[in-house]
Amino acid sequence: MLLNQYIDHTLLKANATVEDIKKLCDEAKKHNFYAVCVNSYYVALANSELMHTDVKVATVVGFPLGSIVNQVKVFEAKKCIDQGADEIDMVINIGLLKSGYYKIVEDEIRAIKKAIENKVLKVIFENCYLTDEEKKVACKLSMNAGADFIKTSTGFGTGGATLEDIKLMKNEVQEDVMIKASGGIRDFQTAKQYIDLGVSRLGTSSGIQIVTSK
């Protein structure tokens, strides 16, 4: 697979404007990125801008904290699919995972996957807040619930993706679930390291720099 087809070209800043989202979509078309990733409000706009192209629309649910009523996450996910999203990146309820409420966390992932049916579900852990054992639990819960991807980070926590976390996650899921590395990936060398470890997708706002600086 070509490097650009690993990239979810991402813009999730609170101050992103309509023109910024249009520019993001234009860049994704120009560089043939796999997807754009935008906040849920902008799904319809991104879908309109990318119509008749191969670029997918990904969006985030329960973002960036994860501690939203689960029915609201499910509604947000369904609404985004209705507006043209191809992929949903949901944030788990980090506090409930750390509290040991594993069934609630797993059931929420399963409910969102059921709501979006055959669309792609990526489950964001926010690894910077988790112990290694909690990361392993999150991997198992995501697999049990039918997730398509597990993902390292929102990019809004205290840390992003690390090579060590990717190794840990890959060891837990093997080939059963794909992995998306996100947060702090800004150059070709770093991107290649993650791909060599077996990630299937990279979430980054530096996609253009990555594909043009190799």
Side-chain angles (χ1 to χ4, degrees):
M1 186 187 292
L2 296 172
L3 177 60
N4 52 358
Q5 282 291 293
Y6 282 89
I7 291 174
D8 286 356
H9 192 39
T10 302
L11 180 57
L12 298 168
K13 292 179 179 178
N15 60 347
T17 66
V18 168
E19 289 306 313
D20 291 334
I21 300 299
K22 290 180 178 180
K23 181 171 181 279
L24 184 85
C25 293
D26 286 342
E27 292 168 347
K29 287 185 282 189
K30 178 180 178 181
H31 294 280
N32 193 29
F33 291 135
Y34 188 87
V36 297
C37 187
V38 298
N39 280 304
S40 58
Y41 183 86
Y42 294 113
V43 165
L45 173 61
N47 182 56
S48 175
E49 292 293 310
L50 295 170
M51 201 168 290
H52 309 305
T53 76
D54 293 329
V55 182
K56 306 294 186 186
V57 177
T59 191
V60 289
V61 166
F63 191 86
L65 303 179
S67 52
I68 296 172
V69 175
N70 58 3
Q71 292 92 337
V72 175
K73 285 186 186 177
V74 171
F75 176 85
E76 186 178 18
K78 288 174 68 175
K79 185 70 172 178
C80 288
I81 297 301
D82 289 345
Q83 292 185 331
D86 301 291
E87 304 187 348
I88 300 293
D89 292 27
M90 63 161 288
V91 187
I92 63 167
N93 192 313
I94 301 158
L96 289 187
L97 178 72
K98 296 187 72 66
S99 299
Y101 289 24
Y102 301 149
K103 185 178 187 303
I104 297 176
V105 174
E106 181 178 323
D107 285 349
E108 180 179 81
I109 299 168
R110 183 177 291 107
I112 293 174
K113 180 57 183 175
K114 181 179 179 181
I116 69 173
E117 298 179 346
N118 62 336
K119 301 297 186 179
V120 171
L121 177 63
K122 309 189 197 94
V123 180
I124 307 173
F125 295 174
E126 201 69 293
N127 282 338
C128 59
Y129 298 135
L130 304 179
T131 66
D132 284 352
E133 285 308 309
E134 288 166 344
K135 295 166 196 172
K136 292 176 183 179
V137 170
C139 288
K140 291 182 174 67
L141 299 178
S142 300
M143 285 192 291
N144 291 344
D148 301 287
F149 278 80
I150 52 176
K151 178 177 168 181
T152 59
S153 329
T154 63
F156 286 74
T158 57
T162 68
L163 298 174
E164 292 74 18
D165 278 347
I166 295 300
K167 292 174 185 175
L168 180 151
M169 294 162 75
K170 189 67 175 177
N171 187 60
E172 289 300 309
V173 303
Q174 299 296 317
E175 303 302 321
D176 294 334
V177 179
M178 291 176 281
I179 300 174
K180 177 176 173 178
S182 183
I185 303 168
R186 300 187 179 93
D187 57 67
F188 170 76
Q189 289 75 17
T190 304
K192 187 174 185 305
Q193 283 182 296
Y194 284 112
I195 292 169
D196 289 345
L197 285 177
V199 305
S200 300
R201 205 78 64 79
L202 302 169
T204 179
S205 57
S206 303
I208 296 172
Q209 180 178 331
I210 289 169
V211 297
T212 58
S213 65
K214 55 185 177 178

